[in-house]
Amino acid sequence: MSIRHGLLALLERGPRYGSQLRTEFESRTGSTWPLNVGQVYTTLARLERDGLVAPGGEDAAGHTLYAITDSGRTELREWYERPVDRANPPRDELSIKLAMAVGAPGVDIRAVIQSQRHATIRAMQDYTRLKATALAAVESGQSRERDDVAWLLVLEQLIFQTEAEARWLDHCESRLVRLSSPADGRAAAPEPPQAADTPAPNPADTTTTTTATAAAGRPRTARTRRG
């Protein structure tokens, strides 16, 4: 998650100080990704070092304000236009956990999947309730529409993400079943009978069986009723 560009987007609306940026960032994202003031000021220092923000004086309460520069606006426009890079996806704890659980001694990976599925579904239900509240606030017009619409988009992304995670967990469980089935089938398969134990077929029996099968396969015709 790009804190750097998120702060630039807020500064484009006007000069802000650190605590104000933290409050507005969390309001816009519904506190999904909480920030601390130290993280905000560290990011502002780096932005200032790179020439993307500059000190913008002080407000009436003596807070040091930061303002976006022309280079910062250019960087922000390019960020909006540039697709998010998926070539190096972030580490996902659940994926790592399941990868390590495969073949681990004493670990029931299907129990791990089942436990995670319950947690994922609970999270999905929570997000859905929050979405209903946010949607009601937006539709009623009794809210700060900009922040509530932004929060609604974040919530919907989280809902889609948890839905995809639930489907992936189902897929993982099915995959494990399919991979274990061939081995189980080979272990339980009976040995084929020896060729010497199989009696030779009787030609007469073969003819009778073939004739009966052919007769059974012919469609029946309805009898015409005599007047």
Side-chain angles (χ1 to χ4, degrees):
M1 221 282 301
S2 180
I3 306 300
R4 174 187 178 94
H5 293 98
L7 297 184
L8 284 176
L10 294 173
L11 288 173
E12 191 180 33
R13 299 169 59 188
R16 300 249 191 312
Y17 56 89
S19 297
Q20 187 179 13
L21 286 168
R22 182 192 65 174
T23 300
E24 292 187 10
F25 183 91
E26 292 184 351
S27 176
R28 185 68 65 88
T29 61
S31 298
T32 303
W33 301 284
L35 300 177
N36 58 62
V37 174
Q39 187 177 10
V40 171
Y41 278 107
T42 298
T43 304
L44 286 171
R46 291 172 180 169
L47 290 170
E48 183 179 2
R49 178 201 62 193
D50 296 338
L52 304 179
V53 304
E58 296 182 350
D59 65 1
H63 297 116
T64 300
L65 300 175
Y66 291 85
I68 191 170
T69 64
D70 290 340
S71 297
R73 288 189 176 87
T74 300
E75 171 70 18
L76 185 61
R77 295 274 81 73
E78 291 176 351
W79 179 62
Y80 282 137
E81 296 168 0
R82 184 171 60 247
V84 175
D85 184 14
R86 299 299 185 190
N88 297 303
R91 294 182 182 88
D92 179 74
E93 183 180 356
L94 178 57
S95 299
I96 295 172
K97 180 187 291 187
L98 292 187
M100 297 302 170
V102 174
V107 177
D108 183 352
I109 188 170
R110 296 180 70 176
V112 174
I113 291 173
Q114 186 68 7
S115 175
Q116 182 62 46
R117 183 186 288 112
H118 289 320
T120 300
I121 291 173
R122 283 197 303 271
M124 191 188 309
Q125 292 169 343
D126 291 341
Y127 294 147
T128 301
R129 283 193 292 269
L130 289 171
K131 175 186 174 181
T133 302
L135 191 59
V138 170
E139 292 178 345
S140 67
Q142 300 175 352
S143 66
R144 293 176 297 174
E145 186 173 348
R146 183 196 298 264
D147 287 348
D148 283 316
V149 170
W151 172 221
L152 186 61
L153 293 179
V154 171
L155 276 173
E156 289 173 336
Q157 191 270 343
L158 292 171
I159 290 170
F160 289 139
Q161 190 176 54
T162 50
E163 287 176 346
E165 183 173 282
R167 291 196 301 272
W168 177 68
L169 289 168
D170 291 342
H171 168 78
C172 290
E173 191 169 40
S174 299
R175 173 72 70 188
L176 291 171
V177 170
R178 288 196 300 271
L179 289 176
S180 61
S181 293
D184 295 342
R186 285 193 299 268
E191 295 183 2
Q194 298 296 325
D197 296 337
T198 304
N202 188 324
D205 294 341
T206 304
T207 303
T208 302
T209 303
T210 304
T211 304
T213 303
R218 287 196 293 267
R220 299 179 179 178
T221 56
R223 296 180 179 176
T224 56
R225 300 180 60 183
R226 295 180 180 178

